[in-house]
Amino acid sequence: MIFNKIDRKNWHRHEYFEHYITQQTTFSMTSEIDISILYKNIKDNNFKFYPAFIYMVTKAVNTNIVFRTGFNSQAELGYWEKLNPSYTIFNEESETFSSIWTETSDNFKQFHQNYESDLKKYNGRIRLFPKSPIPENIFHLSMIPWSSFTGFNLNINNGGNYLLPIITAGKFVQKENAIYLPVSLQMHHAVCDGYHASLFMNSLQSFADESHDWLLD
């Protein structure tokens, strides 16, 4: 859990950071990701969609420092060497959800096994955070599979200094011969601009298109 401190005064983003952290400006971007190839590859190889989506998002987050930049528990600004996903699982009986985290892996099959192990252990517990302790190097994502959307906004205030991304996906949408997944990215403008948000969405699309490579790696 390596955390690299940032020298705010000599940081290339110093002016932008100070401006937007003072204003507390956040923004969201929602895109439809074409998952036609991904969905077929998952079905052909008997994997589950949700862990594949979590894997893709985690990979996109960890490939760019801006998505790993935030404050640690000592209120120091820096970026984590790696972030693990904290995601929601639904309890149908109580109609509540739990948020659990899973150790990430570069290898999808290993991550899928980690996911299945955590799901088996913690699913069905009517608690918000059944897996503890929760490490600092996590980011949050969730899925709302009951409804599609063209825009979604979720904010974590935490004193106004929560800088890490929040990702939310919706229900698949069938359009002609393609399947689309709405994905919303919530970011703090102090560390992320529209350019970086676009890179994130483009990365997700690339990972979906190239899913055969990492699914069977």
Side-chain angles (χ1 to χ4, degrees), residues 84-132:
N84 290 313
S86 176
Y87 52 93
T88 56
I89 53 177
F90 189 67
N91 186 316
E92 293 186 3
E93 291 185 8
S94 63
E95 296 185 346
T96 59
F97 68 90
S98 295
S99 183
I100 64 174
W101 62 276
T102 293
E103 184 74 27
T104 189
S105 172
D106 291 333
N107 182 276
F108 172 69
K109 290 182 180 179
Q110 181 60 58
F111 176 76
H112 198 281
Q113 291 176 10
N114 295 345
Y115 166 87
E116 291 280 18
S117 177
D118 283 332
L119 188 65
K120 182 178 180 181
K121 186 174 183 179
Y122 299 106
N123 194 21
R125 301 192 184 185
I126 308 176
R127 291 178 55 194
L128 185 55
F129 303 110
K131 184 180 179 181
S132 62

Side-chain angles (χ1 to χ4, degrees), residues 37-207:
I37 296 174
L38 171 66
Y39 192 78
K40 182 179 185 304
N41 287 333
I42 288 173
K43 291 299 181 183
D44 288 347
N45 292 282
N46 297 314
F47 290 120
K48 293 181 178 179
F49 179 81
Y50 195 29
F53 173 70
I54 297 171
Y55 175 85
M56 286 171 46
V57 170
T58 305
K59 192 172 181 179
V61 166
N62 282 324
T63 54
N64 199 319
I65 288 177
V66 301
F67 303 126
R68 293 180 274 124
T69 300
F71 291 104
N72 64 11
S73 58
Q74 284 75 48
E76 299 168 319
L77 179 67
Y79 61 93
W80 301 99
E81 198 70 23
K82 178 186 72 172
L83 289 180
N84 290 313
S86 176
Y87 52 93
T88 56
I89 53 177
F90 189 67
N91 186 316
E92 293 186 3
E93 291 185 8
S94 63
E95 296 185 346
T96 59
F97 68 90
S98 295
S99 183
I100 64 174
W101 62 276
T102 293
E103 184 74 27
T104 189
S105 172
D106 291 333
N107 182 276
F108 172 69
K109 290 182 180 179
Q110 181 60 58
F111 176 76
H112 198 281
Q113 291 176 10
N114 295 345
Y115 166 87
E116 291 280 18
S117 177
D118 283 332
L119 188 65
K120 182 178 180 181
K121 186 174 183 179
Y122 299 106
N123 194 21
R125 301 192 184 185
I126 308 176
R127 291 178 55 194
L128 185 55
F129 303 110
K131 184 180 179 181
S132 62
I134 302 173
E136 285 191 64
N137 62 324
I138 61 165
F139 72 95
H140 297 281
L141 75 153
S142 60
M143 193 163 191
I144 307 174
W146 308 279
S147 179
S148 186
F149 51 74
T150 56
F152 187 87
N153 190 277
L154 174 65
N155 299 284
I156 298 179
N157 186 275
N158 196 31
N161 291 328
Y162 188 84
L163 307 180
L164 297 176
I166 308 168
I167 297 95
T168 308
K171 184 180 180 180
F172 302 164
V173 178
Q174 184 85 36
K175 294 184 179 180
E176 296 180 352
N177 296 321
I179 306 173
Y180 292 91
L181 177 73
V183 178
S184 177
L185 171 70
Q186 185 74 23
M187 285 298 305
H188 201 300
H189 210 346
V191 295
C192 178
D193 304 322
Y195 168 75
H196 306 104
S198 299
L199 289 179
F200 176 86
M201 294 301 182
N202 292 340
S203 293
L204 277 189
Q205 186 62 69
S206 294
F207 293 149

